[in-house]
Amino acid sequence: MAFWNKNVPNSSSSSSSKCFPILGLLSLILLHPTTTTTTTSFANAIRVVAIQKPTYNDIPSFREAPAFRNGNSCSSRNIDKIQIVMPVDANYIRGTMAAVLSILQHSTCPENTSFHFLSIHLEAEIISLINSTFPYLSYKIYHFHPNRVRGKISKSIRQALDQPLNYARIYLSDILPKDVHRVIYLDSDIIVVDDIAKLWGVDLGDKVLAAPEYCHANFTNYFTDTFWSDVNLAKTFEGRHPCYFNTGVMVMDLDEWRKGGYAQKIEEWMLIQKQRRIYQLGSLPPVLLVFAGNIKAVDHRWNQHGLGGDNLEGKCRGLHPGPISLLHWSGKGKPWLRLDARKPCTIDYLWAPYDLYRSSRIALEE
């Protein structure tokens, strides 16, 4: 059940949108990729002041975002609304606010975008924060109770991956209202630099889920020797050509997810994991076990993932070749933490222009 629902009617007032220098920054990264902390003159022109990590006892404040308005060609029908689901909590709210800003800024029809936020803690301060940062945003907040996954989560290689909220995406068909038939699920550590309507328009065909596939990745690495050495378990992928995909960016048909009982199927693999230890990473592998090789493939431009480095050290990484529509700091390193620690990667400066955190004091200087 939704804890908070804020829907703002469309307005015909002119846009007060503000342009952020993403294209120039993107050019910098593409022309000068690096795998170490940046030492460019551009980086030296950016001052970063360390801040305290936010908690629910010390909710951060954000600058109010510009108001982004629909163009004349945009539809006003509810059926044309783009439904986006994102998690929100104290540790990642800075990322969530930046992600929302990026989506709105690059949307042709920003007022046709509705957000659904998932939270473990339904704090009034968080609601107030969203309202003050995005006064015109259409959104709802839903409570995800950690009891839903109590006793089902196995310890992984990184503690952050074991948090109950990471598993909420599995239960969207139960959490969201039945009249929400299709959604885009996005992690909080992303930035969108293209019109999200393009991703929304993906034709799922007869598939339940769409995401960029990475068939060049060594798929066997996502499961343990215990899994592959068990003949019955290894038969799981028979008749499929399984490829890795990242669950931080997905288009999901919730009606078909519900009909197929996919939450229960994923839970079954989570229970096997508790008994046999068949994988090392949190909520990703059980989704791969159910869907890998049976999804609608999306252009790689919609998930430039791994920008946070690996799950152990979070070392700097450069961009993958090719066009970019979405940047994803999956991995241990998060841009706001690295910027605050004054140890940013070059790629983190693509995230910085969307940072609305009032105390960050990140300034671009000539």
Side-chain angles (χ1 to χ4, degrees):
M1 178 179 294
F3 175 77
W4 184 266
N5 177 7
K6 181 173 182 253
N7 292 301
V8 179
N10 289 339
S11 171
S12 59
S13 60
S14 62
S15 173
S16 60
S17 62
K18 178 179 176 183
C19 180
F20 290 86
I22 185 65
L23 295 179
L25 289 171
L26 187 55
S27 299
L28 173 71
I29 302 300
L30 292 172
L31 291 173
H32 304 285
T34 181
T35 56
T36 59
T37 302
T38 180
T39 58
T40 65
S41 59
F42 173 80
N44 292 333
I46 299 181
R47 296 197 307 269
V48 182
V49 177
I51 59 170
Q52 185 177 0
K53 185 177 180 180
T55 68
Y56 278 106
N57 294 323
D58 183 23
I59 299 295
S61 63
F62 294 86
R63 301 185 301 278
E64 181 178 330
F68 298 96
R69 302 302 191 186
N70 282 354
N72 294 331
S73 62
C74 296
S75 169
S76 60
R77 301 185 306 168
N78 285 333
I79 195 173
D80 295 322
K81 293 282 188 180
I82 299 173
Q83 311 289 342
I84 299 176
V85 180
M86 299 184 72
V88 60
D89 68 5
N91 292 324
Y92 283 81
I93 192 167
R94 189 167 162 193
T96 301
M97 297 294 99
V100 171
L101 174 62
S102 72
I103 293 168
L104 296 176
Q105 180 181 326
H106 295 285
S107 292
T108 302
C109 303
E111 292 179 288
N112 287 6
T113 305
S114 293
F115 288 84
H116 305 265
F117 297 117
L118 310 175
S119 180
I120 296 289
H121 306 284
L122 294 175
E123 297 283 339
E125 291 87 350
I126 294 296
I127 296 171
S128 177
L129 188 63
I130 296 173
N131 288 342
S132 62
T133 307
F134 298 102
Y136 306 98
L137 193 68
S138 173
Y139 76 91
K140 297 179 182 179
I141 297 184
Y142 304 83
H143 181 225
F144 179 70
H145 204 293
N147 283 345
R148 187 67 186 264
V149 289
R150 189 177 301 278
K152 300 173 185 176
I153 297 177
S154 300
K155 186 176 181 180
S156 65
I157 61 174
R158 183 159 64 91
Q159 186 177 4
L161 300 176
D162 303 337
Q163 301 306 308
L165 193 58
N166 283 335
Y167 290 81
R169 71 197 77 185
I170 297 169
Y171 303 99
L172 294 184
S173 63
D174 298 329
I175 298 171
L176 301 185
K178 297 297 189 293
D179 61 354
V180 179
H181 307 288
R182 172 186 174 116
V183 300
I184 298 175
Y185 177 87
L186 298 173
D187 277 346
S188 296
D189 50 359
I190 63 97
I191 290 294
V192 176
V193 293
D194 201 347
D195 192 342
I196 197 70
K198 297 177 183 178
L199 181 59
W200 179 253
V202 168
D203 182 5
L204 283 171
D206 62 350
K207 305 301 183 184
V208 180
L209 188 155
E213 284 187 314
Y214 302 91
C215 296
H216 63 278
N218 189 344
F219 190 77
T220 59
N221 289 342
Y222 292 94
F223 303 95
T224 64
D225 291 340
T226 299
F227 176 85
W228 295 114
S229 62
D230 187 300
V231 176
N232 292 323
L233 292 178
K235 286 181 178 179
T236 299
F237 297 108
E238 279 191 354
R240 294 192 263 167
H241 179 60
C243 296
Y244 163 76
F245 65 91
N246 182 281
T247 56
V249 180
M250 299 184 291
V251 182
M252 306 168 66
D253 185 327
L254 297 188
D255 291 336
E256 294 302 318
W257 188 286
R258 190 179 299 110
K259 290 177 184 176
Y262 288 106
Q264 290 72 31
K265 292 177 181 179
I266 293 171
E267 282 185 335
E268 290 172 5
W269 283 112
M270 292 166 62
L271 294 176
I272 293 175
Q273 162 73 354
K274 295 285 287 187
Q275 302 165 358
R276 303 287 303 276
R277 193 66 181 177
I278 59 175
Y279 53 80
Q280 303 291 346
L281 294 173
S283 61
L284 168 64
V287 178
L288 293 178
L289 285 162
V290 174
F291 285 105
N294 192 29
I295 70 170
K296 175 70 174 183
V298 176
D299 194 297
H300 288 177
R301 68 186 304 149
W302 283 104
N303 196 350
Q304 272 268 347
H305 67 290
L307 303 183
D310 58 32
N311 280 300
L312 296 177
E313 299 182 52
K315 292 183 178 179
C316 295
R317 288 182 180 175
L319 293 171
H320 310 297
I324 300 169
S325 293
L326 184 148
L327 299 156
H328 187 188
W329 278 262
S330 57
K332 184 177 181 180
K334 303 307 174 188
W336 56 93
L337 296 180
R338 294 194 297 213
L339 286 164
D340 292 346
R342 302 190 183 188
K343 296 180 180 180
C345 301
T346 304
I347 195 69
D348 297 337
Y349 293 107
L350 291 179
W351 181 89
Y354 299 96
D355 186 14
L356 292 169
Y357 191 27
R358 193 180 297 275
S359 300
S360 62
R361 301 187 188 281
I362 297 175
L364 299 179
E365 298 180 340
E366 294 184 0

